[in-house]
Amino acid sequence: MSGDAAPIYTSEKNGNDETGDGSQENPFKTVLQAMRSAKQEPFPPIFVDGKKDDVKYEPISSAQLKKIKKAWTREGFKNADREKREAEDAERREKNFEEAKKITIEEDKSLPAAKQVKIRELQGHKDRRVRVFGWIHHLRRQSKAMFFIVLRDGTGFLQCVMNDKLCLTLDALKLTTESTILITGVVKDVLAGKTAPGGIELTADYWELVGDSPAGGMDNVLNEESHVDVLLDNRHLALRGETLSKIMRARSFIMQCFRDHFFSKYYVEVTPPTMIQCQVEGGSTLFKFDYFGEEAYLTQSSQLYLETMLPVLGDVFCVAQSYRAEQSRTRRHLAEYTHVEAEFVNISFDDLLDRIEDMIVDVSQRAMDSPAGDIIREINPSFVPPKKPFRRMKYTEAIEYCRQNAIMKEDGTQFEFGDDIPEMPERKMTDQINEPIMLNRFPAEIKSFYMPRDVEDNRVTESVDVLMPGVGEIVGGSMRIWKIDELMAGFKRENIDPANYDWYIDQRRFGTCPHGGFGLGFERFLTWMLGRHHIRDVVLYPRFVGRCKP
């Protein structure tokens, strides 16, 4: 050992190979790390933990030094070999790149002209020459001169095979996932015993790089181990994954099923405003903003505006965004969500319950019969469309159920009449019963100003929430107060200034009748159908407490 260099200290008890610097105060953990820090022989004096209690450090023994030096020497050889291999690989890559720069490919003009098609159309173009554009979803280099590519174009997936010169160009060497390409060739059924998306593959005779992607592709940004916040920060990339993209496709089909249901009943779709100056569901959840110097809000519901269309169009519906400024970050809450709402003219409360029930059953079956059905069966194989009739449970019965089944309030006490049943106890009850529940007739004090009282029990309103196992509430509805004096009493009870509601009150002045409606949270409906644990899975770009990007 060299006696001139400063000694290096190690301690199995107190040292750390990552943060240590070899001093007495901050020793390395291992002797091997001390040798690494010295880099070459002769090593400085190396100290280890003292064997006696009153000796903190003592010089390393010759035997121990000799033993660990062998490991250091072996490691040096391995490092030298690795550096040699890396240098050789770099030289080989550079040589390959230089050779690849000399290779060019051109489309063979003697071949039949290729028709550009979408992947979804390829089943009708077998044994024909086609041109397909898409993103590289998977890339497998079978050998230097044979690539297997799974291409994605938003309409489906296609396996492509590239051979020989097509694999040897500079673009081919740099090709990675999420690059976009145009690829030309003949589509055929895969050979017996082989598998590919749709049972077909394209054998390429020409291709072009349209847009490249960084080395490593999307895997360098996202992978299965990524934290949820990383996934949400990179939602634009996460949506390219197979599960999320299938959910977005199913979302589109299921939305169409809602519209088909409504149109089959001759309901008329309208488009209400989302910037408003009156509240619907309570001031505490309103998003306020400055509207040209006036206070305005993002809508919580389009219900009030839908009601104005009843004398004009009859039964109406809308699909619009709604906003709730709730300070809730649960697996079923969003600050912005898609609201499917409808209002019906001249109906009773039982009619309203029947129409909500009919919609859920019909839309569920339509979805299973649509292209969304295959996605639902794949993602949530246990899903079965519900059947009528749903269980109709009064609020008073729910209170009694909670009391009998030890479902308590947050403070550990039992529920009493007049208590609002929060999300967790409500979901616990729903999951125990394990069937759709139409929970109805809530106390007036915990419901909105526009809900009329039940004629048989003045304490409660003609109101309903539809609860689904695993999700909880997906629909909220009620009859609407249709007499002016009752409506004004509702404003007074909720301490709401009726000044901004003249237009709404006019619906009672200029010809009125019993009417009612509902609002369905589309994302909660999807969460239920697709069996997702968290509502963010079914939203394009989720907005909730603490997140308004990207």
Side-chain angles (χ1 to χ4, degrees):
M1 292 186 290
S2 172
D4 298 328
I8 303 175
Y9 294 86
T10 70
S11 172
E12 291 287 345
K13 301 174 185 176
N14 307 309
N16 189 305
D17 282 348
E18 295 180 3
T19 61
D21 58 15
S23 65
Q24 293 191 54
E25 297 77 18
N26 193 18
F28 294 122
K29 183 177 181 64
T30 64
V31 174
L32 184 58
Q33 184 63 23
M35 292 179 176
R36 290 173 185 147
S37 71
K39 296 182 180 179
Q40 62 183 16
E41 295 185 89
F43 300 126
I46 297 176
F47 286 81
V48 298
D49 292 316
K51 294 183 178 61
K52 298 179 180 178
D53 293 339
D54 58 344
V55 177
K56 187 172 184 180
Y57 293 108
E58 63 183 26
I60 187 172
S61 68
S62 298
Q64 186 180 7
L65 182 67
K66 184 177 180 180
K67 179 180 178 181
I68 298 174
K69 182 181 173 183
K70 289 180 179 178
W72 176 80
T73 302
R74 286 194 301 269
E75 186 179 88
F77 284 134
K78 288 180 181 178
N79 289 340
D81 287 343
R82 185 179 67 252
E83 290 172 1
K84 181 181 178 182
R85 286 195 304 272
E86 289 175 352
E88 290 172 348
D89 288 344
E91 184 179 350
R92 191 180 301 111
R93 282 195 301 272
E94 186 61 31
K95 183 179 179 181
N96 289 340
F97 284 158
E98 291 303 317
E99 292 176 355
K101 290 177 183 178
K102 302 173 186 176
I103 299 173
T104 60
I105 56 175
E106 294 182 357
E107 189 168 4
D108 188 344
K109 301 300 182 182
S110 68
L111 295 173
K115 181 179 180 180
Q116 185 153 334
V117 296
K118 298 287 188 182
I119 291 174
R120 67 165 181 264
E121 303 168 333
L122 288 175
Q123 292 290 346
H125 290 80
K126 292 178 185 176
D127 300 316
R128 300 178 190 172
R129 193 164 179 264
V130 296
R131 179 174 287 111
V132 183
F133 168 81
W135 284 257
I136 295 179
H137 194 65
H138 291 301
L139 171 62
R140 176 164 60 92
R141 289 177 165 85
Q142 184 76 2
S143 65
K144 182 178 179 181
M146 188 174 194
F147 292 0
F148 283 93
I149 291 171
V150 175
L151 202 65
R152 181 189 78 240
D153 74 346
T155 74
F157 295 87
L158 171 66
Q159 179 168 288
C160 307
V161 184
M162 294 201 317
N163 289 291
D164 303 327
K165 194 176 180 181
L166 298 181
C167 305
L168 302 178
T169 66
L170 184 60
D171 284 343
L173 291 185
K174 294 182 177 181
L175 205 57
T176 185
T177 56
E178 296 307 320
S179 297
T180 48
I181 64 172
L182 270 171
I183 190 163
T184 304
V186 177
V187 175
K188 293 182 178 291
D189 289 322
V190 295
L191 297 174
K194 303 293 184 181
T195 60
I200 58 175
E201 69 180 8
L202 180 147
T203 301
D205 57 54
Y206 178 72
W207 73 282
E208 298 174 13
L209 177 65
V210 177
D212 60 9
S213 179
M218 203 166 65
D219 289 343
N220 281 349
V221 182
L222 299 174
N223 55 58
E224 293 179 356
E225 306 298 323
S226 295
H227 187 272
V228 62
D229 284 332
V230 174
L231 292 170
L232 289 170
D233 287 342
N234 293 278
R235 186 72 166 187
H236 55 293
L237 297 178
L239 285 164
R240 300 186 184 195
E242 291 183 31
T243 299
L244 279 181
S245 62
K246 287 175 182 175
I247 289 173
M248 294 305 122
R249 188 175 300 279
R251 180 187 170 107
S252 174
F253 289 127
I254 296 170
M255 179 57 76
Q256 183 62 43
C257 292
F258 272 100
R259 285 195 164 93
D260 289 345
H261 168 80
F262 291 138
F263 289 139
S264 75
K265 304 292 184 182
Y266 302 100
Y267 305 160
V268 180
E269 183 171 10
V270 295
T271 52
T274 56
M275 296 188 292
I276 62 172
Q277 289 187 307
C278 55
Q279 66 188 54
V280 182
E281 299 294 342
S284 65
T285 65
L286 284 167
F287 280 109
K288 298 180 181 180
F289 68 95
D290 181 270
Y291 186 76
F292 303 110
E294 297 181 39
E295 186 176 85
Y297 317 103
L298 296 177
T299 186
Q300 303 159 315
S301 166
S302 298
Q303 172 207 320
L304 306 189
Y305 295 95
L306 288 179
E307 288 186 56
T308 68
M309 300 310 296
L310 295 178
V312 184
L313 300 173
D315 298 335
V316 292
F317 78 95
C318 73
V319 178
Q321 297 302 96
S322 285
Y323 306 86
R324 300 284 173 91
E326 286 184 88
Q327 296 293 320
S328 299
R329 186 168 180 170
T330 74
R331 63 185 181 92
R332 72 171 196 168
H333 276 95
L334 292 168
E336 177 187 29
Y337 64 99
T338 305
H339 215 167
V340 179
E341 299 182 84
E343 291 293 318
F344 309 119
V345 65
N346 196 31
I347 62 169
S348 68
F349 186 46
D350 285 337
D351 292 335
L352 176 64
L353 298 184
D354 290 341
R355 292 195 185 195
I356 295 172
E357 182 182 66
D358 180 59
M359 175 196 64
I360 293 171
V361 171
D362 185 46
V363 170
S364 298
Q365 190 58 57
R366 286 175 184 268
M368 296 305 290
D369 295 338
S370 78
D374 290 337
I375 299 174
I376 296 167
R377 281 183 280 270
E378 177 184 345
I379 293 177
N380 186 20
S382 63
F383 180 77
V384 177
K387 303 292 184 184
K388 294 187 285 189
F390 290 178
R391 179 168 180 164
R392 298 189 180 185
M393 174 187 280
K394 293 182 179 180
Y395 165 85
T396 52
E397 295 170 341
I399 292 293
E400 187 59 29
Y401 182 94
C402 289
R403 292 174 67 89
Q404 292 180 358
N405 290 272
I407 299 176
M408 302 293 188
K409 292 194 289 188
E410 191 174 327
D411 63 5
T413 62
Q414 290 191 324
F415 283 99
E416 303 286 348
F417 182 89
D419 290 332
D420 189 11
I421 305 176
E423 175 194 355
M424 289 302 291
E426 181 184 79
R427 203 164 69 226
K428 186 175 182 181
M429 177 187 73
T430 307
D431 290 349
Q432 285 182 6
I433 294 173
N434 197 32
E435 62 179 292
I437 300 171
M438 303 192 84
L439 187 59
N440 60 85
R441 294 175 171 85
F442 294 88
E445 288 71 25
I446 63 173
K447 301 307 283 186
S448 297
F449 69 90
Y450 53 76
M451 296 186 181
R453 294 180 186 264
D454 184 71
V455 294
E456 296 180 359
D457 185 350
N458 192 55
R459 301 177 303 163
V460 300
T461 55
E462 291 184 319
S463 53
V464 62
D465 287 350
V466 180
L467 313 178
M468 288 296 182
V471 179
E473 179 190 347
I474 64 168
V475 176
S478 77
M479 297 297 288
R480 316 308 192 190
I481 291 176
W482 58 284
K483 296 179 179 179
I484 289 182
D485 56 345
E486 292 181 20
L487 182 60
M488 300 308 288
F491 284 137
K492 183 176 181 180
R493 186 189 74 230
E494 298 300 321
N495 196 29
I496 296 173
D497 183 356
N500 287 330
Y501 293 84
D502 277 349
W503 58 275
Y504 184 66
I505 299 169
D506 275 351
Q507 302 306 308
R508 281 79 184 159
R509 290 194 184 106
F510 293 86
T512 185
C513 71
H515 61 282
F518 67 85
L520 175 142
F522 184 55
E523 284 80 11
R524 289 191 184 178
F525 186 88
L526 292 175
T527 301
W528 165 65
M529 280 202 81
L530 295 168
R532 308 309 294 173
H533 175 72
H534 205 293
I535 198 168
R536 64 173 170 251
D537 290 351
V538 302
V539 190
L540 193 64
Y541 289 97
R543 299 291 184 252
F544 49 84
V545 176
R547 178 159 296 275
C548 195
K549 64 179 183 180

